[in-house]
Structure formats: structure tokens, C-alpha cells
Amino acid sequence: MPGRSAGRRRGGAPARVLSLCLSLSLCFAAAAPLAAAPVRAETADAAPALRTGEPETWRVATHPVPPLVMDEDGRLRGFSIDLWNAVARELGVRTAYVRVDDLPALFAAVSDGRADLAIAAVSITAERERRFDFSVTMLETGLRIAVRAEPDATGSATARALRALLSDAAFLQVLLGLAALILAVAALVWWLERRHPGGMAARSGPARGFAHVVWWALSSLAAQAEEMPRSPLARAVTVVWLFTCIALVAWFTAGLTSTATVERLRGAVNGPQDLPGKRVGTVADTTSVAYLADHFATPVSFATLEAACAALQAGTVAAVVYDAPALGYYATRPGHEALRLVGGAFNRQSYGILFPANDPRRKRVNQALLGLREDGRYDEIYGRWFGSESGESQGR
């Protein structure tokens, strides 16, 4: 009996060890799902937190280019502003506008990181594409030409011809020589007439008589002299003087006519074909400057379109060339002297939204722009600012 009992104790030990191992294995298997459950719950809770967080805020640089961008008492309006606001709503992002003064400052804001992107009236060019990225085209446009709205083109050309002649140093020297000749002839005729009893200068004092003869010499230039000298020598001088007057009048008329013709041809700007050889105003650092230089015109750059148009009114430039939307909007605004747009749009170009190189936002913006075109919202914004294709303006 004691031996049998000891044998049972020795034989039960392995069974108890095996039972303990099986129990531990079952405990670990049951605990594993419980340990993993909190990790899955944390990951699931993180996704709604991202979806319900505050929307992104994008910094958008812009500068005034009516009617694409206008700052009216601190509130931005215009085609580009309306278009971007529609894109931002489509993307679900907020906008913080970064306002700059001109196009170079716009490029600088994007390149140095003060703005995430830029929208105004930025033409897509190969040179700019090397430094930045652009969205798909947001507006197809071109350049246009503005000239002064002059009611009398002939009179304006004659006035320009007179100004050109009077500003010519050689012509002024001829006029001074002519004045000296008139005084010399008047002095000679006065001296001869003073000796004749019935002469023009014999009936009054020396000063008054000389003034009377000078007036006679001037009248002879226009063939309007009312009397002739009485002295034989004075009459001989008069014959020579009258032939000289005919030659002088013919010379002056020919000079004025030819100069007026040249000025009329120079002033007749009816399209881009008339720009070569002329001084043409435009806005600095824009594609208009390069176009004018490449087409043999003389570009005169100004800081703003208003300054370029003021130079046009002053006559220092023959025309103004700039982006068609901006120039058309300015030409129809009240409050300044009237301008006349000539010809149609030329040098077609595309405007785009400007991004830093390789910016991931560009694809999202492109998708939004294409969506606006497909559902008609783009056409609605375009019509609001530029009217229909027939050019009829719609309410703003």
C-alpha cells in the first residue's frame, strides 16, 4: 500500500505539469484579443478627429488688376477673386489673402514662402514655368490697344506737325533768319520812302513810320499789302521781296504739309501692324513689354495702367498696349478722358494660378477648376465680369 501510494504520487506529477501548461496557453489566447482591442479603437477614433477638425487656411497672394482684382474700401472683388472663392469652397479651405502692389511682388511672395499660391492676371509663359508651376488655364485672353478718342484726326495731326516744326532747331534757325530778313527789308524800304515826299513813311514820325513799313513787309508774305512804295528804288526792292515772299510761303507750306502727313501716318494706330516705330506705353514687368520690343515698337514702361493712360492723354506715347480685360475695363470707366480701343485682341495668352514648383496643392486646384467649368459655375462668373460672347455687359 505505501508503495502503491508513492507510485501514484510519482505518476501524477507529469499530468499536473501538462495541465498547468494547457491552462497557461488558454489564458494567453484569451488575453490576446483583449490586448489588441484598445489599439483598434484608438485608430478608429483618430479618423473622425481629422475629418471634423478646422479646415486648412491657404495664403493667396494677389494685387490690383481691374477687373480681375479690385480693392474697394478694403474688400477684394473681381473675376479672379470670385473664381478663387469658388475654388476654395469646392476644396473646403479657408483663404487668407496676401495683398501686394505689383506683379514682381506677387512672384516674390510665392517664391519666398509668404504665400502658398497667387492669383491675379498672371500670364503662363515658358520663362515663368521654369521657376514656378501653374494651374490649368483659368482665362484665355490677349493684348489690346488703346488710343486717344480724338474727334478731329486731321486737326490733331496738324497740331502735332506744328509742334514738331517748332521743336526742330533747324526750323527755328530759319525762322530767326526770316525775321532778320524782314527787319532788313523794312529798314531799307523805310529809309528809301522817307526821302520820297509821298512815300509810306514820309507822313509820320520815324518810329511810327518804321512800324508801318514792318507791317507792310509782313503783309506782303500773305499777299495782303494794302499799298506799295512810291520811291523807284523802293519799288525795285519790293519786286525782289515779293518773289522772295512767294518762295518763303511755298517752303513753309510744303514743310508743314509733309510733316503733317508724317504725323498723321504716325498717329494712325488701328492695330498691332501700326505699332512698329512708335512709342507705346504699357505696364512694367509684364508680357506686353516683351511683345512690343519683339515687334519693333519702343515700349515705355509705367508703374500702373493709370500712369500709362495719362501719358497717352499727354501725347508722350502714341498708344497703350496691355491685357485686354484690364484695358477694356479702364476705357469704359467714368472719371477720366475717353480712350478708344482699336482692333481686336492679339498675342493670345493664358492666365493661370501661380504655385511654387512641385506644390501638391496644384492638382487639387486643377480638379476644382475643371469641376467649375463642367457644371457651369465658371461661365456664370465669367459672364458676371465680362458679359456674354457678344460683348453685352451683365450686372455686377
Side-chain angles (χ1 to χ4, degrees), residues 26-280:
L26 291 173
C27 290
F28 280 120
L34 296 175
V39 176
R40 287 196 298 269
E42 183 179 352
T43 304
D45 291 342
L50 290 176
R51 286 195 298 269
T52 59
E54 291 295 322
E56 298 177 80
T57 298
W58 291 6
R59 299 165 300 166
V60 179
T62 191
H63 76 100
V65 189
L68 278 75
V69 180
M70 297 179 291
D71 190 340
E72 297 180 350
D73 299 324
R75 176 173 171 261
L76 289 176
R77 297 179 64 243
F79 170 79
S80 295
I81 299 300
D82 286 356
L83 182 63
W84 173 254
N85 289 338
V87 170
R89 285 192 296 270
E90 184 77 7
L91 297 176
V93 300
R94 291 180 176 176
T95 303
Y97 285 107
V98 179
R99 308 186 189 198
V100 297
D101 294 330
D102 50 31
L103 195 59
L106 193 80
F107 292 134
V110 174
S111 61
D112 63 21
R114 286 182 290 116
D116 300 315
L117 55 102
I119 187 170
V122 187
S123 300
I124 302 174
T125 66
E127 189 275 331
R128 292 171 181 172
E129 187 67 40
R130 284 191 287 269
R131 300 168 50 206
F132 303 94
D133 280 344
F134 284 92
S135 69
V136 295
T137 299
M138 73 174 201
L139 181 64
E140 287 283 351
T141 182
L143 302 178
R144 288 208 70 180
I145 302 172
V147 297
R148 286 195 296 177
E150 296 172 343
D152 184 4
T154 303
S156 62
T158 303
R160 291 196 302 270
L162 284 172
R163 288 195 298 268
L165 286 175
L166 293 176
S167 62
D168 187 357
F171 182 77
L172 291 177
Q173 290 177 355
V174 172
L175 286 183
L176 290 175
L178 178 59
L181 178 61
I182 291 173
L183 291 176
V185 170
L188 178 59
V189 171
W190 172 79
W191 184 76
L192 293 174
E193 285 292 284
R194 286 281 297 170
R195 292 172 169 268
H196 193 280
M200 292 187 298
R203 298 188 295 271
S204 56
R208 187 174 180 180
F210 182 74
H212 180 71
V213 175
V214 170
W215 174 250
W216 166 83
L218 289 171
S219 302
S220 300
L221 285 171
Q224 296 296 320
E226 296 180 354
E227 57 180 317
M228 289 295 167
R230 300 296 181 86
S231 168
L233 289 177
R235 288 183 176 181
V237 171
T238 299
V239 172
V240 176
W241 173 240
L242 291 178
F243 277 107
T244 303
C245 289
I246 294 172
L248 289 173
V249 170
W251 168 79
F252 181 80
T253 303
L256 182 61
T257 302
S258 62
T259 305
T261 302
V262 171
E263 290 297 322
R264 188 174 292 110
L265 291 174
R266 286 181 178 175
V269 177
N270 297 306
Q273 70 279 358
D274 300 320
L275 295 176
K278 297 181 177 62
R279 288 169 52 87
V280 182

Side-chain angles (χ1 to χ4, degrees), residues 281-299:
T282 188
V283 179
D285 301 307
T286 62
T287 55
S288 307
V289 178
Y291 174 86
L292 293 172
D294 291 342
H295 290 78
F296 308 104
T298 302

